[in-house]
Amino acid sequence: MSTLRSVPVANGPVSIVILLALLAIAVLMGAAVGTGAYIAVAPLALVLPAIYLLMRPDICLIFFAGLTLLVAGTLKYFLGLGQFQWALSALGAALLAYSLVRKLFSKNDRRVTADGIQQAMLLWWAGLIFASAANAVPPLDWLVGLRIYLPVFGIFAYLAYCRPSEILLKRIFLFMLAIASVQWIFCLYQKLQVVPIRIASNYPGSPWDSIVGTFGGEKFGGGESGSLGIYLSIIMVLAVALKKYGQLKSLALLVVFLTGFAAMALIESKVIAIMIPLGCFLVYRDYAFKQPVKFVLGTLVLGGLMLGLLVVYYYLYWQTDNNLGLIDALFARFSYSFDPYFQASTTNLGRVKSLLFWWDKHALLDDPLTLLIGHGLASAVSSSSIIGEGGAVHRYGIMLDVTGVSKLLWESGLIGLVVFLLIFAFGFFRARSLKIHPVLPAWHRAAMVGVEAVMVLMPLSIFYEVTIVSSPPMQFMAMFLLGYVAYWWRETEGARGV
């Protein structure tokens, strides 16, 4: 069965909806200018090019990928233009609206076995909206919360409902590999130019947090270095899967690994020492019994690479920590992440302590609502140009979005966290079925092996950083890969009952 299709363009009901939306926006912009509400004109103006791009949704997807992975974070880091994220949100929201309209008005929509991913997503959203309404979340908090979560779901919806060309999906995959291969350039500049200024100016926090590649953050404050490390780890796992089945040349794999390790050596992200071995094990786990010699040799080589990277970290970053030796420094650097008493500052409680704090402030008998379904949208936002900080942050006076887990617990509760993890559990089992399906071209079967492994890595990453919960580049990667699974599930008609 061929899945090569021409690019879908807006037509019929979709065209009518787009024209009506353009007319409505024009009226609203005119009214805003007439009443002097100029601040409302900017976001409305951003919607216009987004809607125009939807006449070619494939280009819209490419723009979203490029702007999210390369441009938005760079603009925020170097120019302080964090507001550019609203342009991406407008683009994602428009793509989501387009996809839903296509879904609702499609005449040839085939019924397939539920993939579970979409159903879990809808359940998670239902719980989050109910929690927001039950906690009387203010209107601006709704706006900020929806801006963080909702637009990126347009990527998933487009892949799941609009049947783009498989060639487009392959090119996005390769684009993500290319983005990973250039991160070392930005990281090297940040280490040589930004870090020395931060050290000389005595800015608080670790100076190495300023090394973020194109993933963004405050230039002399916290950044997305952890998310970048996880992104690079995932890209390496995907590249290994493609190489395993002969879909990526050895030279290309070497480039991915050399450039990836160069960036990793600069960002000081310890989580990669866990993510890469675990991902490669999932890709090659069948070799443990089929080809045990190769499996053991590969494990030794990978273990050596990880140890070498940690040694580099020691000599570049950790050697001055109380003059500790290599082993003691490694133990100290890994153990603090699991220390229930560690906190980076008076307002940053650390990964484990932030979870203990959440547990301490909730009780099933006293307030079952917030324990089970959370405080609602944006309640855990530590910093926002619109609301300042979320309701729960204002109440307790500390950071509540230290990790993705802590943010999910505060905003969507224990049930929301479980459902969120369930999304990736369904993604894992669907990818496992699809990776051996004969309908998928060889390249996509190989990619699906990597995606299967990533469906394990992504939910684990939220215990370390916000990553796929609210880091835009990682949100894009998560929704793209989940949409990729949903796309092929539909193309194989629910894997024909598998």
Side-chain angles (χ1 to χ4, degrees):
M1 180 180 72
S2 175
T3 57
L4 294 176
R5 288 179 292 278
S6 59
V7 175
V9 297
N11 53 66
V14 179
S15 297
I16 295 174
V17 171
I18 289 177
L19 290 174
L20 290 175
L22 287 171
L23 179 61
I25 290 171
V27 172
L28 289 173
M29 289 182 67
V33 173
T35 58
Y38 298 108
I39 194 172
V41 176
L44 289 173
L46 292 174
V47 178
L48 291 174
I51 291 179
Y52 175 78
L53 281 172
L54 289 180
M55 303 301 290
R56 283 293 303 275
D58 58 325
I59 295 179
C60 186
L61 177 62
I62 294 170
F63 263 69
F64 199 103
L67 294 175
T68 302
L69 297 175
L70 195 60
V71 177
T74 304
L75 289 177
K76 181 178 181 180
Y77 184 90
F78 289 104
L79 302 178
L81 297 178
Q83 296 82 356
F84 183 78
Q85 188 61 43
W86 284 91
L88 283 178
S89 298
L91 192 63
L95 190 56
L96 177 62
Y98 171 89
S99 303
L100 294 179
V101 170
R102 281 286 300 267
K103 170 69 174 176
L104 292 173
F105 290 97
S106 176
K107 297 180 181 180
N108 300 316
D109 193 28
R110 296 173 296 175
R111 290 189 176 275
V112 299
T113 305
D115 56 34
I117 302 172
Q118 300 171 56
Q119 291 71 28
M121 283 183 179
L122 290 173
L123 182 59
W124 183 79
W125 269 107
L128 186 61
I129 292 173
F130 178 76
S132 303
N135 287 281
V137 170
L140 285 180
D141 292 55
W142 277 84
L143 176 64
V144 171
L146 290 174
R147 202 282 300 163
I148 292 173
Y149 288 126
L150 187 62
V152 75
F153 280 84
I155 305 301
F156 174 85
Y158 176 60
L159 269 62
Y161 300 144
C162 298
R163 304 184 70 201
S165 165
E166 67 180 48
I167 295 178
L168 174 63
L169 303 187
K170 180 178 178 180
R171 288 173 178 171
I172 296 293
F173 256 106
L174 296 176
F175 177 72
M176 290 194 296
L177 264 67
I179 289 296
S181 69
V182 300
Q183 292 301 315
W184 70 274
I185 301 173
F186 295 88
C187 291
L188 183 61
Y189 172 84
Q190 290 157 353
K191 178 176 174 55
L192 296 178
Q193 299 295 324
V194 179
V195 169
I197 297 175
R198 180 169 177 171
I199 294 174
S201 302
N202 292 317
Y203 284 97
S206 171
W208 317 120
D209 288 342
S210 292
I211 305 176
V212 298
T214 63
F215 275 39
E218 299 297 330
K219 192 173 184 180
F220 299 112
E224 298 276 2
S225 58
S227 290
L228 175 57
I230 293 169
Y231 177 87
L232 293 171
S233 301
I234 288 173
I235 289 297
M236 287 186 178
V237 171
L238 293 172
V240 165
L242 291 171
K243 178 62 177 67
K244 178 184 178 183
Y245 294 97
Q247 301 303 317
L248 191 69
K249 294 181 179 180
S250 298
L251 179 60
L253 180 67
L254 181 62
V255 169
V256 170
F257 265 73
L258 288 178
T259 56
F261 274 115
M264 288 176 176
L266 294 167
I267 61 176
E268 199 260 323
S269 179
K270 299 173 293 298
V271 70
I272 60 181
I274 298 173
M275 301 286 284
I276 295 177
L278 177 58
C280 290
F281 167 77
L282 291 169
V283 170
Y284 277 97
R285 65 186 185 274
D286 57 317
Y287 275 32
F289 298 102
K290 294 180 180 179
Q291 302 186 49
V293 175
K294 287 187 177 180
F295 181 82
V296 171
L297 289 176
T299 301
L300 292 175
V301 170
L302 186 59
L305 289 174
M306 293 297 100
L307 179 60
L309 188 62
L310 294 175
V311 170
V312 170
Y313 282 169
Y314 172 74
Y315 284 107
L316 287 179
Y317 307 114
W318 305 339
Q319 194 174 19
T320 58
D321 289 1
N322 300 319
N323 295 318
L324 295 176
L326 174 61
I327 302 300
D328 291 335
L330 288 176
F331 178 78
R333 282 289 174 167
F334 276 93
S335 61
Y336 86 86
S337 293
F338 305 97
D339 185 352
Y341 301 104
F342 173 81
Q343 60 184 78
S345 67
T346 56
T347 59
N348 185 342
L349 299 183
R351 296 182 179 99
V352 176
K353 194 169 184 178
S354 64
L355 299 181
L356 295 176
F357 181 82
W358 172 84
W359 179 255
D360 184 59
K361 297 301 179 182
H362 296 83
L364 183 61
L365 296 179
D366 295 338
D367 191 2
L369 184 69
T370 55
L371 172 70
L372 296 176
I373 65 171
H375 298 257
L377 286 162
S379 58
V381 169
S382 296
S383 177
S384 168
S385 59
I386 294 179
I387 63 173
E389 57 189 18
V393 177
H394 179 74
R395 178 180 177 183
Y396 293 106
I398 61 171
M399 291 177 59
L400 302 178
D401 54 356
V402 177
T403 62
V405 170
S406 60
K407 182 176 176 64
L408 286 170
L409 285 171
W410 281 99
E411 296 191 355
S412 63
L414 191 59
I415 293 176
L417 172 61
V418 172
V419 174
F420 188 85
L421 295 175
L422 194 61
I423 293 172
F424 294 90
F426 278 116
F428 172 82
F429 288 111
R430 297 316 184 204
R432 189 173 69 171
S433 298
L434 290 167
K435 70 180 184 180
I436 58 174
H437 202 287
V439 168
L440 274 68
W443 194 94
H444 290 287
R445 286 200 302 272
M448 195 63 73
V449 173
V451 172
E452 179 196 22
V454 172
M455 290 297 124
V456 176
L457 301 181
M458 280 186 166
L460 288 178
S461 72
I462 67 174
F463 291 86
Y464 181 76
E465 290 280 353
V466 292
T467 60
I468 58 175
V469 176
S470 58
S471 170
M474 291 304 300
Q475 284 180 302
F476 169 80
M477 173 178 268
M479 289 300 109
F480 177 82
L481 296 182
L482 286 167
Y484 182 77
V485 174
Y487 169 90
W488 283 112
W489 189 257
R490 181 175 293 270
E491 290 299 295
T492 56
E493 299 179 0
R496 300 191 186 278
V498 173

